[in-house]
Amino acid sequence: MGFIGIVMDHHRRNSVRSKNYRYFKACMACAALVAIADGRACRLEAATLAALIKTMQELNLYDRSMGVGIYEDYVAMIEADPEGGQARVMAAIEAVRDEPEWAALLVAIGATISQADGVVYQSEVEAIEKICRLLAISVDTVTAFQVEIGNDLYD
């Protein structure tokens, strides 16, 4: 690939990254809402999210540390003001409502985060159900991704 090809590829990636940023943020918001649903967000949940960002084509256009930082900001928002924080997080999630592929991806991310610490709490299930209602997705279609977090625990 010549110089022009490299520039064109870079421009294309930046264009896609810019276009999909609100969807990326919605995914981070979903992960935060599910992670904090049991009362605390743990390191395994953040590491699982980092692994998802690294491995998923839709997410790996973005820097993992930036994604985890957005996730942590949403978690802190909910911790500081549970009602107001959840409302802002749900507003961010709503960005994918009219994008069925992103909505399905987002809910699958939530299901994956709920399983990250080895225990799926009822409060996490309820958070996923709430997200499904917002996005008009049947909760029966929700499946989690199988993720190997390995070194992401230490990044």
Side-chain angles (χ1 to χ4, degrees), residues 70-142:
I70 292 169
Y71 157 85
E72 289 172 345
D73 289 346
Y74 282 129
V75 167
M77 212 182 290
I78 295 169
E79 288 175 330
D81 177 12
E83 189 174 314
Q86 283 189 25
R88 288 191 294 281
V89 167
M90 291 299 282
I93 292 169
E94 194 169 18
V96 303
R97 186 181 180 112
D98 296 327
E99 298 289 338
E101 289 179 20
W102 276 99
L105 173 69
L106 180 143
V107 174
I109 289 169
T112 304
I113 297 301
S114 73
Q115 297 176 8
D117 59 4
V119 179
V120 179
Y121 293 95
Q122 182 61 33
S123 55
E124 293 170 327
V125 171
E126 290 167 2
I128 293 168
E129 289 171 345
K130 183 177 180 179
I131 292 165
C132 285
R133 282 191 303 275
L134 175 70
L135 301 177
I137 294 176
S138 170
V139 74
D140 297 330
T141 65
V142 176

Side-chain angles (χ1 to χ4, degrees), residues 18 28 31 56 108 116 137:
S18 176
M28 300 307 104
M56 296 184 70
I137 294 176

Side-chain angles (χ1 to χ4, degrees), residues 12-28 49-71 96 102 105 109 152:
R12 182 193 56 76
R13 285 178 56 88
N14 280 340
S15 179
V16 170
R17 186 180 296 129
S18 176
K19 177 184 166 212
N20 291 339
Y21 184 66
R22 67 188 178 120
Y23 305 139
F24 176 71
K25 284 183 66 173
C27 291
M28 300 307 104
L49 181 60
L52 288 170
I53 294 168
K54 177 180 174 182
T55 59
M56 296 184 70
Q57 180 180 347
E58 298 86 351
L59 303 179
N60 72 12
L61 290 172
Y62 304 94
D63 181 71
R64 282 187 296 162
S65 62
M66 179 185 74
V68 173
I70 292 169
Y71 157 85
V96 303
W102 276 99
L105 173 69
I109 289 169
D152 293 301

Side-chain angles (χ1 to χ4, degrees), residues 1-9:
M1 175 182 302
F3 178 73
I4 298 296
I6 292 170
V7 170
M8 294 300 291
D9 184 57

